[in-house]
Amino acid sequence: MTDKKHDSHPQDSAQGPILVPVDFSPHSEAALLLASDFAAGLGARLVVLHVVHDPQNMPGYYARMASKKTLTRIADIAAEMLDEFMAKVQKRHPERKALHSAEILLVTGIPVTRILQVVEKEKARMIVMGSKGATGLRHLLLGSVAEQVLGLAKLPVTIVKEQAKH
């Protein structure tokens, strides 16, 4: 079998990783936890992905960190935010081995496009992602990312919402 993308077959992804695109929201954390359960149950690798996107499309997305480090490149800020997010989740859930051995990916581009490209490159078996991870305009934009991925992906997609804290 050749290694060309157009030669891939559905069974190629049967042993692939579980891809978890994250935006650092509580919904992303809930998705990551569910994906770690899936990974443990299936004996699958966990790949955590953040797509660094053009801040002009989502103004203020990286502003929390950027205000402290105005000369730092956005990709560096995003990498720091991703590291902090993963460290926080791992610290709260030390028993989840899949979280601690997860592969971390940071790519730049349009979120939907890059998520689907990573699915192909990694030969992922499924996507687990949070939805409605923000408020206002960001809420609508991030929600639409999940909807677009759900509509365009050719593999199982699980959409997760944060558990209510009542």
Side-chain angles (χ1 to χ4, degrees):
M1 181 162 148
T2 64
D3 198 19
K4 296 178 185 172
K5 288 185 182 184
H6 65 274
D7 288 340
S8 65
H9 299 286
Q11 66 266 28
D12 291 346
S13 64
Q15 301 304 313
I18 296 170
L19 180 66
V20 189
V22 298
D23 65 1
F24 318 128
S25 69
H27 299 283
S28 283
E29 182 173 345
L32 185 55
L33 295 177
L34 180 63
S36 73
D37 289 343
F38 288 165
L42 296 170
R45 288 187 307 122
L46 198 57
V47 175
V48 180
L49 168 69
H50 178 70
V51 180
V52 181
H53 50 274
D54 184 347
Q56 292 178 7
N57 293 338
M58 295 180 196
Y61 192 82
Y62 301 107
R64 177 181 64 84
M65 295 294 289
S67 63
K68 297 179 199 169
K69 301 176 182 184
T70 55
L71 300 177
T72 305
R73 289 178 43 236
I74 287 177
D76 294 337
I77 294 167
E80 188 175 331
M81 290 172 74
L82 180 55
D83 288 345
E84 287 176 6
F85 175 77
M86 288 302 296
K88 177 184 75 172
V89 176
Q90 289 167 341
K91 185 176 180 180
R92 281 204 290 248
H93 302 279
E95 75 288 356
R96 293 177 184 255
K97 292 185 174 109
L99 282 178
H100 297 275
S101 61
E103 180 182 344
I104 309 300
L105 289 179
L106 187 73
V107 299
T108 303
I110 299 167
V112 174
T113 303
R114 297 297 278 151
I115 290 167
L116 296 173
Q117 287 172 342
V118 170
V119 162
E120 287 293 319
K121 182 175 186 264
E122 294 288 327
K123 294 183 172 41
R125 70 172 72 193
M126 71 183 302
I127 300 169
V128 181
M129 64 188 300
S131 182
K132 297 181 172 42
T135 58
L137 181 59
R138 281 180 49 215
H139 170 87
L140 294 173
L141 291 170
L142 291 173
S144 70
V145 169
E147 284 182 36
Q148 289 175 54
V149 168
L150 182 62
L152 294 170
K154 296 176 181 162
L155 71 165
V157 178
T158 301
I159 305 295
V160 180
K161 295 181 182 182
E162 179 188 18
Q163 296 297 316
K165 296 177 182 173
H166 295 282

PDB file of all heavy atoms in Angstrom, residues 74-91:
ATOM      1  N   ILE A  74       1.867  35.981  18.174  1.00  0.00           N
ATOM      2  CA  ILE A  74       0.605  35.337  18.546  1.00  0.00           C
ATOM      3  C   ILE A  74       0.771  33.823  18.681  1.00  0.00           C
ATOM      4  O   ILE A  74       0.211  33.217  19.586  1.00  0.00           O
ATOM      5  CB  ILE A  74      -0.500  35.705  17.545  1.00  0.00           C
ATOM      6  CG1 ILE A  74      -0.909  37.151  17.788  1.00  0.00           C
ATOM      7  CG2 ILE A  74      -1.701  34.781  17.673  1.00  0.00           C
ATOM      8  CD1 ILE A  74      -1.929  37.684  16.837  1.00  0.00           C
ATOM      9  N   ALA A  75       1.552  33.207  17.818  1.00  0.00           N
ATOM     10  CA  ALA A  75       1.755  31.760  17.916  1.00  0.00           C
ATOM     11  C   ALA A  75       2.414  31.388  19.245  1.00  0.00           C
ATOM     12  O   ALA A  75       2.084  30.365  19.847  1.00  0.00           O
ATOM     13  CB  ALA A  75       2.582  31.248  16.749  1.00  0.00           C
ATOM     14  N   ASP A  76       3.339  32.222  19.713  1.00  0.00           N
ATOM     15  CA  ASP A  76       3.984  31.961  21.003  1.00  0.00           C
ATOM     16  C   ASP A  76       2.977  32.104  22.141  1.00  0.00           C
ATOM     17  O   ASP A  76       2.993  31.329  23.100  1.00  0.00           O
ATOM     18  CB  ASP A  76       5.162  32.916  21.219  1.00  0.00           C
ATOM     19  CG  ASP A  76       6.294  32.671  20.234  1.00  0.00           C
ATOM     20  OD1 ASP A  76       6.385  31.551  19.686  1.00  0.00           O
ATOM     21  OD2 ASP A  76       7.085  33.603  20.005  1.00  0.00           O
ATOM     22  N   ILE A  77       2.119  33.107  22.041  1.00  0.00           N
ATOM     23  CA  ILE A  77       1.076  33.310  23.056  1.00  0.00           C
ATOM     24  C   ILE A  77       0.134  32.110  23.064  1.00  0.00           C
ATOM     25  O   ILE A  77      -0.206  31.565  24.120  1.00  0.00           O
ATOM     26  CB  ILE A  77       0.295  34.616  22.782  1.00  0.00           C
ATOM     27  CG1 ILE A  77       1.220  35.820  22.959  1.00  0.00           C
ATOM     28  CG2 ILE A  77      -0.927  34.724  23.699  1.00  0.00           C
ATOM     29  CD1 ILE A  77       0.650  37.112  22.408  1.00  0.00           C
ATOM     30  N   ALA A  78      -0.281  31.671  21.873  1.00  0.00           N
ATOM     31  CA  ALA A  78      -1.179  30.519  21.770  1.00  0.00           C
ATOM     32  C   ALA A  78      -0.519  29.263  22.336  1.00  0.00           C
ATOM     33  O   ALA A  78      -1.166  28.472  23.024  1.00  0.00           O
ATOM     34  CB  ALA A  78      -1.586  30.301  20.320  1.00  0.00           C
ATOM     35  N   ALA A  79       0.773  29.077  22.060  1.00  0.00           N
ATOM     36  CA  ALA A  79       1.492  27.912  22.584  1.00  0.00           C
ATOM     37  C   ALA A  79       1.514  27.935  24.109  1.00  0.00           C
ATOM     38  O   ALA A  79       1.312  26.909  24.767  1.00  0.00           O
ATOM     39  CB  ALA A  79       2.915  27.879  22.029  1.00  0.00           C
ATOM     40  N   GLU A  80       1.732  29.116  24.678  1.00  0.00           N
ATOM     41  CA  GLU A  80       1.733  29.252  26.138  1.00  0.00           C
ATOM     42  C   GLU A  80       0.342  28.962  26.707  1.00  0.00           C
ATOM     43  O   GLU A  80       0.203  28.277  27.715  1.00  0.00           O
ATOM     44  CB  GLU A  80       2.185  30.665  26.513  1.00  0.00           C
ATOM     45  CG  GLU A  80       2.410  30.840  27.998  1.00  0.00           C
ATOM     46  CD  GLU A  80       2.982  32.211  28.336  1.00  0.00           C
ATOM     47  OE1 GLU A  80       3.697  32.800  27.509  1.00  0.00           O
ATOM     48  OE2 GLU A  80       2.694  32.674  29.455  1.00  0.00           O
ATOM     49  N   MET A  81      -0.693  29.475  26.036  1.00  0.00           N
ATOM     50  CA  MET A  81      -2.063  29.219  26.486  1.00  0.00           C
ATOM     51  C   MET A  81      -2.391  27.722  26.406  1.00  0.00           C
ATOM     52  O   MET A  81      -3.032  27.175  27.304  1.00  0.00           O
ATOM     53  CB  MET A  81      -3.052  30.027  25.644  1.00  0.00           C
ATOM     54  CG  MET A  81      -2.981  31.526  25.912  1.00  0.00           C
ATOM     55  SD  MET A  81      -3.987  32.510  24.764  1.00  0.00           S
ATOM     56  CE  MET A  81      -5.643  32.148  25.370  1.00  0.00           C
ATOM     57  N   LEU A  82      -1.929  27.050  25.350  1.00  0.00           N
ATOM     58  CA  LEU A  82      -2.173  25.619  25.195  1.00  0.00           C
ATOM     59  C   LEU A  82      -1.450  24.836  26.287  1.00  0.00           C
ATOM     60  O   LEU A  82      -2.030  23.927  26.900  1.00  0.00           O
ATOM     61  CB  LEU A  82      -1.730  25.162  23.801  1.00  0.00           C
ATOM     62  CG  LEU A  82      -1.925  23.685  23.463  1.00  0.00           C
ATOM     63  CD1 LEU A  82      -3.366  23.241  23.656  1.00  0.00           C
ATOM     64  CD2 LEU A  82      -1.463  23.420  22.026  1.00  0.00           C
ATOM     65  N   ASP A  83      -0.202  25.199  26.562  1.00  0.00           N
ATOM     66  CA  ASP A  83       0.550  24.536  27.636  1.00  0.00           C
ATOM     67  C   ASP A  83      -0.147  24.718  28.984  1.00  0.00           C
ATOM     68  O   ASP A  83      -0.275  23.767  29.762  1.00  0.00           O
ATOM     69  CB  ASP A  83       1.975  25.085  27.726  1.00  0.00           C
ATOM     70  CG  ASP A  83       2.858  24.638  26.566  1.00  0.00           C
ATOM     71  OD1 ASP A  83       2.477  23.693  25.847  1.00  0.00           O
ATOM     72  OD2 ASP A  83       3.926  25.258  26.378  1.00  0.00           O
ATOM     73  N   GLU A  84      -0.604  25.941  29.264  1.00  0.00           N
ATOM     74  CA  GLU A  84      -1.304  26.210  30.528  1.00  0.00           C
ATOM     75  C   GLU A  84      -2.608  25.426  30.623  1.00  0.00           C
ATOM     76  O   GLU A  84      -2.943  24.880  31.675  1.00  0.00           O
ATOM     77  CB  GLU A  84      -1.585  27.707  30.675  1.00  0.00           C
ATOM     78  CG  GLU A  84      -0.368  28.543  30.977  1.00  0.00           C
ATOM     79  CD  GLU A  84      -0.671  30.044  31.032  1.00  0.00           C
ATOM     80  OE1 GLU A  84      -1.863  30.428  30.937  1.00  0.00           O
ATOM     81  OE2 GLU A  84       0.281  30.819  31.165  1.00  0.00           O
ATOM     82  N   PHE A  85      -3.347  25.388  29.528  1.00  0.00           N
ATOM     83  CA  PHE A  85      -4.615  24.655  29.488  1.00  0.00           C
ATOM     84  C   PHE A  85      -4.379  23.175  29.785  1.00  0.00           C
ATOM     85  O   PHE A  85      -5.046  22.577  30.632  1.00  0.00           O
ATOM     86  CB  PHE A  85      -5.272  24.837  28.107  1.00  0.00           C
ATOM     87  CG  PHE A  85      -6.522  24.036  27.891  1.00  0.00           C
ATOM     88  CD1 PHE A  85      -7.723  24.430  28.453  1.00  0.00           C
ATOM     89  CD2 PHE A  85      -6.496  22.891  27.102  1.00  0.00           C
ATOM     90  CE1 PHE A  85      -8.883  23.695  28.239  1.00  0.00           C
ATOM     91  CE2 PHE A  85      -7.643  22.156  26.888  1.00  0.00           C
ATOM     92  CZ  PHE A  85      -8.838  22.561  27.453  1.00  0.00           C
ATOM     93  N   MET A  86      -3.397  22.573  29.094  1.00  0.00           N
ATOM     94  CA  MET A  86      -3.116  21.150  29.301  1.00  0.00           C
ATOM     95  C   MET A  86      -2.614  20.883  30.717  1.00  0.00           C
ATOM     96  O   MET A  86      -3.035  19.913  31.347  1.00  0.00           O
ATOM     97  CB  MET A  86      -2.093  20.661  28.267  1.00  0.00           C
ATOM     98  CG  MET A  86      -2.662  20.537  26.867  1.00  0.00           C
ATOM     99  SD  MET A  86      -4.091  19.435  26.742  1.00  0.00           S
ATOM    100  CE  MET A  86      -3.351  17.856  27.199  1.00  0.00           C
ATOM    101  N   ALA A  87      -1.744  21.728  31.231  1.00  0.00           N
ATOM    102  CA  ALA A  87      -1.221  21.543  32.588  1.00  0.00           C
ATOM    103  C   ALA A  87      -2.348  21.603  33.618  1.00  0.00           C
ATOM    104  O   ALA A  87      -2.386  20.807  34.558  1.00  0.00           O
ATOM    105  CB  ALA A  87      -0.162  22.597  32.888  1.00  0.00           C
ATOM    106  N   LYS A  88      -3.268  22.534  33.428  1.00  0.00           N
ATOM    107  CA  LYS A  88      -4.403  22.687  34.345  1.00  0.00           C
ATOM    108  C   LYS A  88      -5.278  21.432  34.329  1.00  0.00           C
ATOM    109  O   LYS A  88      -5.634  20.894  35.381  1.00  0.00           O
ATOM    110  CB  LYS A  88      -5.217  23.917  33.943  1.00  0.00           C
ATOM    111  CG  LYS A  88      -6.469  24.157  34.752  1.00  0.00           C
ATOM    112  CD  LYS A  88      -7.263  25.341  34.239  1.00  0.00           C
ATOM    113  CE  LYS A  88      -7.978  24.953  32.965  1.00  0.00           C
ATOM    114  NZ  LYS A  88      -8.918  25.927  32.448  1.00  0.00           N
ATOM    115  N   VAL A  89      -5.602  20.938  33.142  1.00  0.00           N
ATOM    116  CA  VAL A  89      -6.464  19.761  33.026  1.00  0.00           C
ATOM    117  C   VAL A  89      -5.744  18.529  33.575  1.00  0.00           C
ATOM    118  O   VAL A  89      -6.335  17.732  34.308  1.00  0.00           O
ATOM    119  CB  VAL A  89      -6.922  19.547  31.567  1.00  0.00           C
ATOM    120  CG1 VAL A  89      -7.737  18.272  31.437  1.00  0.00           C
ATOM    121  CG2 VAL A  89      -7.746  20.741  31.078  1.00  0.00           C
ATOM    122  N   GLN A  90      -4.466  18.375  33.253  1.00  0.00           N
ATOM    123  CA  GLN A  90      -3.702  17.229  33.750  1.00  0.00           C
ATOM    124  C   GLN A  90      -3.593  17.251  35.270  1.00  0.00           C
ATOM    125  O   GLN A  90      -3.695  16.207  35.925  1.00  0.00           O
ATOM    126  CB  GLN A  90      -2.306  17.217  33.118  1.00  0.00           C
ATOM    127  CG  GLN A  90      -2.329  16.858  31.659  1.00  0.00           C
ATOM    128  CD  GLN A  90      -1.019  17.138  30.956  1.00  0.00           C
ATOM    129  OE1 GLN A  90      -0.183  17.904  31.433  1.00  0.00           O
ATOM    130  NE2 GLN A  90      -0.834  16.532  29.789  1.00  0.00           N
ATOM    131  N   LYS A  91      -3.397  18.422  35.847  1.00  0.00           N
ATOM    132  CA  LYS A  91      -3.279  18.536  37.302  1.00  0.00           C
ATOM    133  C   LYS A  91      -4.586  18.151  37.993  1.00  0.00           C
ATOM    134  O   LYS A  91      -4.577  17.500  39.033  1.00  0.00           O
ATOM    135  CB  LYS A  91      -2.883  19.973  37.678  1.00  0.00           C
ATOM    136  CG  LYS A  91      -2.624  20.149  39.160  1.00  0.00           C
ATOM    137  CD  LYS A  91      -2.144  21.551  39.477  1.00  0.00           C
ATOM    138  CE  LYS A  91      -1.887  21.683  40.964  1.00  0.00           C
ATOM    139  NZ  LYS A  91      -1.433  23.021  41.322  1.00  0.00           N
TER     140      LYS A  91
END
